[in-house]
Amino acid sequence: MQIHVIKSKIHRVKVTGADLNYIGSITIDKDLMDAANIIEGEKVQIVNNNNGERLETYAIPGPRNSGEITLNGAAARRVAPGDVLILITYAIMEIEEAKAFKPALVFPDEETNLLR
């Protein structure tokens, strides 16, 4: 049997932009992506602490050390700059593998979105 488990989490980052006219996705500072072991194109669940919205899209890298968190395309309607988000990815694994697995949990600076 396989189960879904948390693989990565970027906890409490602020939205820096919302670009409705982009083709879709979430742009994430590449330093944050690397720290959380998120790869380009990976599915990301977005939890908006300000309005309770939950949505899924895919990650694209933003400039390193920029703190950028931009929702693109239709997802831009579900956030506002300054909203606080939790970004989560999941993996599918065998139960025994999941018991030993340690997710990448990242807690950036809440004001700048930069790694501490």
Side-chain angles (χ1 to χ4, degrees):
M1 177 186 311
Q2 295 184 321
I3 60 172
H4 289 251
V5 297
I6 185 169
K7 178 182 124 334
S8 310
K9 178 178 176 183
I10 301 174
H11 190 73
R12 297 187 61 84
V13 287
K14 287 187 180 176
V15 174
T16 59
D19 186 354
L20 184 61
N21 295 313
Y22 194 80
I23 58 173
S25 67
I26 181 170
T27 304
I28 304 170
D29 178 323
K30 182 71 166 107
D31 286 340
L32 293 175
M33 287 179 65
D34 289 349
N37 195 25
I38 297 172
I39 64 167
E40 184 172 354
E42 186 170 357
K43 182 167 127 177
V44 178
Q45 180 182 46
I46 300 161
V47 180
N48 187 327
N49 284 358
N50 290 75
N51 63 20
E53 292 276 358
R54 288 178 175 256
L55 61 127
E56 293 178 341
T57 189
Y58 61 94
I60 60 172
R64 288 188 179 279
N65 200 38
S66 65
E68 182 176 358
I69 301 291
T70 300
L71 275 291
N72 303 304
R77 294 195 183 277
R78 315 268 297 271
V79 300
D83 282 359
V84 175
L85 306 180
I86 299 170
L87 310 179
I88 307 165
T89 67
Y90 299 91
I92 300 171
M93 30 184 106
E94 297 293 332
I95 290 176
E96 290 307 311
E97 180 185 10
K99 287 178 182 178
F101 180 76
K102 300 292 183 226
L105 306 176
V106 178
F107 300 88
D109 182 277
E110 290 189 33
E111 292 303 314
T112 65
N113 292 342
L114 300 177
L115 294 173
R116 297 175 199 214

